[in-house]
């Protein structure tokens, strides 16, 4: 066990050292993430999230709220939606809170996480493919499950740096006020990204020897991660747009998906590796 | 002599009961995408032997080395290394193998020392700094120890790859064209390295295109043609012409 942990640290440390030295992956991923947020944000005109009005429902870290709570809140609950924008737009063109407010910001953030993440997965695996280093790892006396965990940790580290950089951009652009539940946002995002990274690590290994690696990876990962993305988006909307408390059911769904993705990816990883 | 390799038309000698064969491959076969890559390859190799693996391009030399390195799993036959069955779970056996391939198997954004120490630690060595320094000295690259691999020439990279393969002091070295891309002084350095390993009692399997060099370096020669062993003999009994004739026979 200690040997496995030491090997995981060795492998992850190697990945991060290479990344810190070359900055190839992070440079690309961050530029891509920021571009996605800015382009889509400008295109959609910028939605806003705001803290709950005084006396409105308080957001608890995790509460057992009724699962039947509607996803789209009544108009009174989003009274603080973009007043300036609504005022400047013709009445018939102004988005209704139920239809658009907040959804765009959460969705755009996820689009940036997804595409940035795919680039991370692709690049960290390409590092092993270049010059045949993967064959040297496969020939070494290490468990291939250890390889999976190490690569997953490397990917997660890169994705969390991506999140740390591009989320503030979204906060600025969308007036996305996280101050009333920052840990809720961090928790939901982290839980979602763990499952996403597990699937991404598996499929990056499976497709890395293909000429279609990049495009193929997106096509394979996005549908599989859809449940996590949808659940996460709904939870964030519920908290930040509708000002509802975080439900334990939602967290449970994310944890369940994470567990399934992690175990299946870990088991399948060995079968998709090629020297 | 200590090596016996045979195809279906050559009767393999049985290995001595005292020391287990370093390599004991029986009727190895490999089919990939409905194509036969290896067929009926039998190879018994005693510890301490140097075997030259010869054959034209596409004869199956690299594939056979990958199978022996447990990087590819044969679709037929059995493989035992040092008396133990080889397979995906043979972690301890992997620690006894060193591999030199067409690609250097190095990280170009790490320095020479970082690469060697990384692979040394992966094999559980604790004295990686000293071992890396010793090997870099042996391949004549001590002065470049702190440089990134991507700054090296092709030949220098190949020498680092040889050092990487020796980091954990393997008992069996599988070298796929180790002289590829090397200049004349580097070829001499590598030849001396291989001779040194042979004198230490290591088992070597070296694939090579240079027949004359192979006959000088090896104890035994095996020629592969279309995935099958067509010739095996002690190197001393062979001439360049006879080997070339076997390699190119239709």
């Amino acid at each position: 066990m200690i040997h496995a942990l030491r090997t995981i640290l060795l492998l992850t440390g190697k990945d991060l050292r290479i990344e810190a030295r070359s900055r190839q992956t992070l440079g690309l991923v961050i530029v891509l993430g920021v571009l996605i947020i800015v382009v889509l944000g400008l295109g959609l005109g910028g939605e806003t999230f705001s803290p709950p009005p005084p006396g409105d429902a308080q957001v608890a870290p995790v509460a057992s709220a009724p699962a039947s709570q509607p996803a789209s809140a009544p108009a009174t609950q989003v009274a603080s939606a973009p007043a300036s924008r609504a005022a400047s737009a013709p009445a018939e063109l102004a988005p209704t809170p139920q239809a658009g407010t907040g959804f765009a910001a959460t969705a755009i953030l996820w689009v940036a996480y997804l595409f940035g993440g795919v680039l991370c997965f692709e690049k960290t695996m390409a590092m092993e493919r270049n010059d045949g280093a993967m064959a040297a790892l496969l020939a070494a006396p290490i468990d291939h499950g250890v390889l999976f965990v190490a690569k997953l940790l490397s990917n997660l580290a890169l994705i969390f740096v991506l999140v740390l950089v591009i989320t503030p951009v979204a906060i600025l652009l969308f007036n996305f006020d996280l101050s009333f539940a920052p840990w809720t946002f961090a928790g939901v995002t982290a839980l979602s990204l763990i499952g996403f990274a597990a699937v991404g690590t598996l499929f990056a290994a499976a497709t890395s020897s293909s000429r279609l690696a990049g495009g193929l990876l997106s096509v394979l990962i996005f549908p599989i991660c859809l449940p996590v993305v949808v659940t996460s988006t709904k939870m964030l909307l519920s908290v930040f747009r509708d000002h509802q408390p975080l439900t334990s059911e939602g967290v449970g769904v994310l944890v369940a998906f994470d567990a399934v993705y992690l175990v299946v990816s870990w088991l399948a990883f060995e079968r998709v590796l090629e020297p | 002599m200590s090596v016996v390799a045979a195809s279906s038309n050559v009767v393999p000698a049985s290995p001595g009961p005292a020391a287990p064969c370093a390599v004991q491959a029986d009727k190895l076969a490999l089919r990939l995408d409905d194509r036969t890559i290896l067929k009926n390859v039998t190879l018994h190799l005693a510890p301490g032997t140097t075997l030259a693996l010869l054959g034209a391009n596409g004869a199956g030399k690299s594939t056979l080395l990958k199978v022996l390195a447990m990087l590819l799993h044969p679709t037929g036959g059995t493989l035992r290394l040092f008396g133990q069955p080889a397979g995906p779970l043979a972690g301890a056996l992997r620690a006894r193998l060193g591999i030199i391939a067409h690609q250097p198997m190095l990280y170009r954004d790490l320095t020479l020392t970082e690469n060697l120490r990384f692979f040394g630690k992966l094999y559980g060595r604790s004295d990686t700094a000293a071992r890396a320094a010793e090997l870099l000295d042996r391949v004549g690259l001590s002065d470049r120890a702190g440089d990134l691999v991507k700054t090296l020439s092709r030949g220098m990279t190949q020498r680092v790859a040889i050092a990487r393969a020796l980091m954990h002091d393997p008992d069996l070295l599988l070298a796929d064209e180790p002289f590829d891309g090397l200049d004349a002084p580097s070829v001499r350095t590598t030849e001396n390295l291989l001779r040194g390993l042979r004198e230490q009692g290591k088992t070597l399997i070296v694939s090579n295109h240079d027949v004359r060099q192979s006959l000088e370096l090896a104890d035994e020669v095996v020629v592969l043609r279309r995935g099958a062993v067509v010739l095996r003999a002690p190197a001393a009994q062979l001439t360049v012409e006879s080997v070339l004739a076997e390699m190119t026979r239709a």
Side-chain angles (χ1 to χ4, degrees):
Chain A
M1 186 66 180
I2 289 175
H3 177 68
L5 286 176
R6 205 174 286 159
T7 308
I8 288 169
L9 284 179
L10 177 68
L11 290 163
T12 306
K14 177 264 299 173
D15 283 353
L16 298 182
R17 175 179 286 191
I18 290 174
E19 182 51 38
R21 188 166 287 159
S22 68
R23 295 194 189 92
Q24 284 179 349
T25 305
L26 269 183
L28 268 177
V29 165
I30 287 172
V31 169
L32 177 71
V34 170
L35 275 176
I36 287 172
I37 291 198
V38 170
V39 170
L40 290 182
L42 291 176
L44 292 171
E47 300 287 353
T48 64
F49 284 120
S50 60
D56 204 347
Q58 293 299 305
V59 177
V62 176
S64 294
S68 57
Q69 196 69 37
S72 49
T76 51
Q77 281 190 312
V78 285
S80 52
S84 58
R85 191 163 156 269
S88 62
E92 66 273 17
L93 293 180
T96 62
Q98 291 87 342
T101 306
F103 178 75
T106 324
I108 288 171
L109 260 179
W110 257 109
V111 170
Y113 294 161
L114 287 174
F115 279 97
V118 167
L119 212 52
C120 283
F121 307 144
E122 198 188 329
K123 291 287 178 187
T124 55
M125 201 53 75
M127 177 194 301
E128 307 297 349
R129 289 288 169 205
N130 291 337
D131 297 331
M134 177 57 85
L137 295 183
L138 294 180
I142 54 174
D143 186 86
H144 295 165
V146 164
L147 272 182
F148 170 75
V149 176
K151 204 45 94 177
L152 173 65
L153 290 179
S154 303
N155 284 329
L156 277 173
L158 294 179
I159 290 178
F160 283 134
V161 173
L162 167 75
V163 170
L164 284 176
V165 173
I166 67 172
T167 306
V169 177
I171 288 173
L172 289 174
L173 203 64
F174 298 105
N175 192 23
F176 191 170
D177 188 352
L178 294 178
S179 61
F180 70 102
W183 294 112
T184 303
F185 178 83
V188 170
T189 305
L191 269 181
S192 314
L193 290 176
I194 288 171
F196 171 54
V199 174
T201 304
L202 170 69
F203 281 98
T207 61
S208 60
S209 54
S210 161
R211 280 184 296 122
L212 301 170
L216 195 59
L217 193 55
S218 309
V219 169
L220 290 170
I221 294 178
F222 291 170
I224 293 173
C225 290
L226 206 57
V228 165
V229 176
V230 170
T231 308
S232 171
T233 308
K234 278 186 175 174
M235 288 170 74
L236 292 178
L237 277 176
S238 168
V239 172
F240 290 98
R241 185 190 66 183
D242 305 337
H243 307 141
Q244 298 299 314
L246 193 61
T247 64
S248 54
E249 288 86 349
V251 175
V253 169
L254 281 184
V255 170
F257 271 112
D258 279 356
V260 170
Y261 288 163
L262 281 168
V263 171
V264 172
S265 301
W266 179 65
L267 290 175
F269 192 72
E270 183 169 14
R271 300 192 176 278
V272 304
L273 289 174
E274 283 179 23
Chain B
M1 216 36 191
S2 48
V3 158
V4 177
S7 64
S8 53
N9 57 344
V10 181
V11 179
S14 19
C21 280
V23 176
Q24 186 178 346
D26 288 300
K27 296 184 177 177
L28 282 183
L30 181 71
R31 283 181 67 81
L32 290 174
D33 301 329
D34 291 333
R35 213 160 56 88
T36 301
I37 313 293
L38 295 176
K39 52 188 174 193
N40 217 15
V41 173
T42 296
L43 183 71
H44 292 176
L45 192 61
T49 308
T50 298
L51 173 75
L53 197 55
L54 299 172
N57 290 331
K61 304 185 298 292
S62 300
T63 306
L64 177 58
L65 288 175
K66 281 183 182 171
V67 170
L68 297 179
M70 294 180 277
L71 290 171
L72 287 176
H73 304 303
T75 50
T78 58
L79 174 63
R80 296 175 76 87
L81 299 173
F82 300 104
Q84 297 174 48
L89 300 176
L93 271 184
R94 291 178 191 279
R96 301 181 70 178
L97 305 185
I99 300 163
I100 301 167
H102 284 290
Q103 290 182 301
M105 300 178 167
L106 297 165
Y107 295 99
R108 57 179 73 174
D109 283 306
L110 293 182
T111 67
L112 278 60
T113 301
E114 286 170 344
N115 264 292
L116 296 187
R117 293 194 66 185
F118 168 75
F119 284 106
K121 286 177 184 169
L122 214 53
Y123 281 81
R125 277 194 84 110
S126 53
D127 59 339
T128 54
R131 178 72 176 161
E134 177 202 335
L135 285 170
L136 286 177
D137 184 48
R138 281 169 70 181
V139 298
L141 287 169
S142 293
D143 56 330
R144 303 293 300 267
D147 292 349
L148 298 181
V149 166
K150 67 182 177 187
T151 65
L152 301 182
S153 69
R154 169 80 181 88
M156 287 173 173
T157 306
Q158 181 70 353
R159 280 146 66 190
V160 186
I162 293 169
R164 174 199 49 72
L166 300 178
M167 251 323 262
H168 57 288
D169 197 18
D171 295 318
L172 170 61
L173 182 69
L174 304 166
D176 194 1
E177 297 178 23
F179 305 102
D180 194 28
L182 296 182
D183 55 19
S186 302
V187 167
R188 177 62 56 86
T189 306
T190 307
E191 283 177 351
N192 289 338
L193 256 173
L194 295 179
R195 286 198 180 95
L197 292 170
R198 186 178 164 190
E199 282 163 16
Q200 288 173 36
K202 306 291 186 188
T203 309
L204 312 176
I205 302 182
V206 183
S207 88
N208 198 352
H209 282 303
D210 189 330
V211 178
R212 186 179 306 278
Q213 185 184 42
S214 297
L215 294 180
E216 286 171 8
L217 277 175
D219 301 312
E220 295 283 336
V221 171
V222 161
V223 175
L224 282 178
R225 194 168 65 223
R226 293 194 209 98
V229 177
V230 292
L231 172 73
R232 61 97 190 162
Q237 295 178 9
L238 296 170
T239 62
V240 172
E241 289 70 28
S242 65
V243 173
L244 283 174
E246 279 299 335
M247 284 170 65
T248 54
R249 184 173 294 170

